[in-house]
Amino acid sequence: MNEYATEAVEAAIRRENGDYDLPTLEIARLNQLVDEMRALSTNSANLERVVVRGFESLIGLTRGDNYLLDPEDGEL
């Protein structure tokens, strides 16, 4: 009985400290969630870059300093 109680207390202490093994399915799901969060972060950064560049282009067009508005010199 003493050995069981000792092991139970040690297991409870490990569990409270976060030192325990996760089952395989939980590990797989956690890894999937981490991958999805990384992809979401990348997509958000790409969307931010596209929006910023789009607004910069629009502002450039309203100012009139766009290379497409330069006069043609006859060369391609």
Side-chain angles (χ1 to χ4, degrees):
M1 184 68 177
N2 288 338
E3 185 178 328
Y4 174 76
T6 304
E7 288 179 15
V9 169
E10 288 175 354
I13 291 171
R14 282 194 306 271
R15 195 169 33 253
E16 286 180 9
N17 290 335
D19 183 23
Y20 56 89
D21 295 331
L22 293 174
T24 306
L25 290 177
E26 288 179 355
I27 291 172
R29 180 65 175 153
L30 186 60
N31 288 337
Q32 181 185 13
L33 291 173
V34 168
D35 290 340
E36 291 297 324
M37 287 299 294
R38 190 175 298 127
L40 181 62
S41 174
T42 301
N43 289 341
S44 176
N46 289 337
L47 180 61
E48 177 187 357
R49 189 175 21 209
V50 166
V51 169
V52 167
R53 287 184 182 170
F55 279 123
E56 287 174 353
S57 296
L58 286 174
I59 290 171
L61 280 172
T62 57
R63 281 192 216 141
D65 58 350
N66 190 332
Y67 74 95
L68 295 174
L69 299 175
D70 292 342
E72 290 187 30
D73 59 358
E75 293 186 18
L76 294 178

